[in-house]
Amino acid sequence: MGAGNVPGRHPEREIDMPTFRFPSDRGALVAAARLLLILSLLLPLGLTGARAGALDDAAALFAADSFSDTAKAIDLVAGADAPHADAILEALADRRLFVSADKKLVFKDKAGAAIDALTGKKLAAEPAGLASVRINNRLRSAINNAVGQMTLQSPDAAKRHAAALAVYKSRDAASEDGLRAASRVEKDAGIKTVQQLALAAIIATAPGKPDIDRLTAIEVLKDQGDRDALTPLNLVPAEAGQGVKDAAKAAVAEINNRLALWSGVQNAWYGVSLGSVLLLAAIGLAITFGVMGIINMAHGEMVMIGAYVTFVIQEVIRQNYPGLFDYSLALAIPASFVVAGVIGIAIERLVIRHLYGRPLETLLATWGISLILQQAVRTIFGPTNREVGAPSFMSGSFKLGLLDITYGRVWIVVFALAVFLAVLALLRFTPMGLQMRAVTQNRRMAASMGIRTARIDALTFGLGSGIAGLAGVALSQIDNVSPNLGQSYIIDSFMVVVFGGVGNLWGTLVAALSLGIANKFLEPFAGAVLGKIALLVFIILFIQKRPRGLFALKGRAIES
C-alpha cells in the first residue's frame, strides 16, 4: 500500500475538495465559532453606529445655535434612518427640542417626558440647563419638507397618502426626487395616483422643465385632477412655450366643466339625503293625516322624543356598558318606536278622539300638546343641546369620483328606505293594514263590516307617532338634539304630505325626494331661506291646480 493511500478508501473515487479545511482540533473550532459570533454582533452594531453617528453630528450642529447649522442638522436627521427621527423633527417644529448644558440633544414628548434624541429612550430625570433649539420660517419649511420626505415611504399607508397629498398641494420642487422614488415602489393604486398628481404639479410649475415634460404633466392633471389641479395649471411659468400655455388653458376649461357636472351630482346626493330625512319625518304624518283626517301639530315632538330616547340609551351605555356603544342605535330604534307610539296612543285616547270632525280644534289641541311636551323635555333634560354620538360604522366618509359621501348619510338613506318598505308591507300584507286602508277609503262601510274604527284610529295614531320616533333616531345623527328639534321639520313634513297626496305613501316618497333635491339646487342661488320660500310658493300654486296632490287618494275627509 503506497504512502499516499489511506486504508479503506478507493483512490479512483477521490473528489477534489476546496483548499479551505475545517480545523481539526476542538480549540480551533471554538475559536472559529467565537469569531462568527463576534462578527454577527458587530454587523448590527455597525449599522446602529452609522445611524448614531448621523444623529451625533446633528446634535453637534443643533448645539451650534446657528440657523444654517440647524438646516444641515435637519437633513442629517431626515437621512439617519432612525425610527424616532420623525419625532425629533416634530419636536423641533413644536419647540420641544433642547440642548442640555453638557451638549446632549433631548426632546420632550407631548406629555412633557424628556427623551434622549440619540437613542429614543425616556430619561429618568430631565437634564440640567436645557436650551430650546431656535427655528425660523425658513427652517419650518425645511422641517415640513424633511418630514414629508420621510413619510413618503412610511410603512403606514395613511401617512404616505397624507405626505403625497401635502406635496401635491405645496408643489415643493425639493420633494421631486423623493416622490419619484416613493412612486416606483408604491403598491397602493390610490396613493400612487396622488403621487403622480404631485409629480405633475411640480413639473408643471417648476422653472427649467422641458416643454415636453410639462405637456405630459398637464395631461396627467387634466385626466386625473380635481379642484386642486387648477392651481398648478394656472401657475405655469412664463418661460413655458405657447403650446404648453394653450394646453394648460384647455385643461382648466375641461376640469371646470367636469367640476360643474360633479357639483350637480353632489347637489343631487345632498338632495336625496335631505329627502330621506323629510321622508322619515313625513311618513307618520301621512298615515295619521290620511286615515284620521286630523292636523297633528305635535308630530314634530314625536320626532324630538325619539331623539331623546336615543340620547338616554347612549348615556346608559356610556356609563355602564361602553363596549356596546356601536349597538346603541340598534337598541334605540325599537325603544324610540315604542315610546313615541305609546305617547301617541295616549294622546289619541285622551284628546284626539273627542275632537273628530273638528279639524281646527284638533290643530289647536295638538299645538297645545306640542308646547306641553317641549316644556316637559326642557324640565327633564334642560334647554341646552344634547350630544348623541355616531357609531364607528357611521363615522368617516369616502369618495366616489369627485363625490364626497359620508357613511352617516348613506346609512340614513338606507334606514329611511327600509322604514318606507316596512310600512308599505304592513299596510299591504297585514290585517291591521287592510283595516287601515278600509277605514281610509270608507269609514262607515268599514264600521258596518265589523271593523272597530276607534281601535284602528288609536293604533294608526300610535303607528304614525312611532315612525316619527324612528325619524328622531336618524335626526339625532345629523342635527342638534334639543327641545326645538321637531319644530324644524313639522312645516316641511306638511309640505311633503300635501304635495305628494294626503295618505299616499308613494306620493310621500316622490314628494320628499323632489323637494329635497329642489331645495339643494335652489340654495346656491337663492340661499336657504329664500329657497324654502320659493318652494312654499310653488306648492301653493301647485295645490291650486291639483288640490289633492301628486297622487290623489280617496279618503273619508273627501267623502264627508
Side-chain angles (χ1 to χ4, degrees), residues 41 81 181 187 240 247 322 409 448:
L41 292 175
D81 195 26
K187 298 295 191 295
R409 289 284 184 173
S448 68

Side-chain angles (χ1 to χ4, degrees), residues 386-522:
R386 294 293 182 169
E387 179 188 359
V388 175
S392 59
F393 63 88
M394 292 183 67
S395 303
S397 63
F398 64 95
K399 291 186 76 69
L400 183 63
L402 299 182
L403 199 64
D404 290 316
I405 301 177
T406 59
Y407 288 107
R409 289 284 184 173
V410 171
W411 281 108
I412 289 175
V413 171
V414 172
F415 179 62
L417 292 177
V419 171
F420 176 78
L421 294 176
V423 173
L424 277 182
L426 183 146
L427 295 177
R428 181 71 177 84
F429 300 111
T430 66
M432 179 183 170
L434 178 62
Q435 293 174 11
M436 286 175 57
R437 286 185 286 128
V439 173
T440 302
Q441 294 174 9
N442 194 317
R443 168 176 285 269
R444 293 177 182 174
M445 182 62 72
S448 68
M449 297 296 294
I451 296 176
R452 297 165 58 188
T453 57
R455 176 176 174 273
I456 293 301
D457 287 337
L459 292 177
T460 301
F461 202 90
L463 175 64
S465 299
I467 295 172
L470 296 181
V473 178
L475 288 175
S476 69
Q477 298 299 303
I478 60 175
D479 208 338
N480 294 323
V481 177
S482 70
N484 298 320
L485 173 64
Q487 296 299 308
S488 305
Y489 293 93
I490 185 65
I491 302 300
D492 290 336
S493 298
F494 272 110
M495 288 171 58
V496 168
V497 171
V498 172
F499 181 53
V502 175
N504 191 305
L505 289 185
W506 285 106
T508 303
L509 173 66
V510 173
L513 295 179
S514 300
L515 293 180
I517 292 173
N519 192 42
K520 288 302 178 182
F521 274 96
L522 284 173

Side-chain angles (χ1 to χ4, degrees), residues 180-205:
R180 290 185 185 278
S183 181
R184 282 193 292 268
V185 299
E186 183 58 58
K187 298 295 191 295
D188 188 294
I191 298 175
K192 195 176 185 70
T193 297
V194 179
Q195 291 172 342
Q196 293 298 319
L197 285 170
L199 276 172
I202 292 172
I203 294 171
T205 57

Side-chain angles (χ1 to χ4, degrees), residues 65-214:
D65 196 24
S66 164
F67 287 146
S68 59
D69 288 336
T70 301
K72 296 175 183 176
I74 291 171
D75 292 336
L76 286 174
V77 173
D81 195 26
H84 59 288
D86 56 343
I88 296 175
L89 295 179
E90 288 176 5
L92 176 61
D94 295 340
R95 296 188 180 276
R96 292 184 283 108
L97 186 65
F98 305 91
V99 177
S100 66
D102 55 354
K103 303 304 181 183
K104 287 184 178 180
L105 190 63
V106 177
F107 69 93
K108 293 184 179 181
D109 61 16
K110 294 184 178 180
I115 300 173
D116 187 338
L118 297 183
T119 63
K121 296 180 180 179
K122 287 187 178 181
L123 298 173
E126 182 177 305
L130 291 182
S132 176
V133 179
R134 298 183 304 127
I135 59 173
N136 56 19
N137 289 335
R138 182 175 63 85
L139 290 177
R140 286 187 182 279
S141 178
I143 293 168
N144 292 335
N145 292 337
V147 172
Q149 293 287 342
M150 293 168 62
T151 53
L152 281 172
Q153 297 192 40
S154 168
D156 187 342
K159 289 185 177 180
R160 296 200 307 275
H161 182 273
L165 192 61
V167 176
Y168 177 34
K169 293 182 177 181
S170 67
R171 304 174 300 282
D172 178 29
S175 303
E176 182 177 354
D177 292 339
L179 200 58
R180 290 185 185 278
S183 181
R184 282 193 292 268
V185 299
E186 183 58 58
K187 298 295 191 295
D188 188 294
I191 298 175
K192 195 176 185 70
T193 297
V194 179
Q195 291 172 342
Q196 293 298 319
L197 285 170
L199 276 172
I202 292 172
I203 294 171
T205 57
K209 299 293 183 181
D211 281 358
I212 185 65
D213 292 345
R214 294 191 196 275

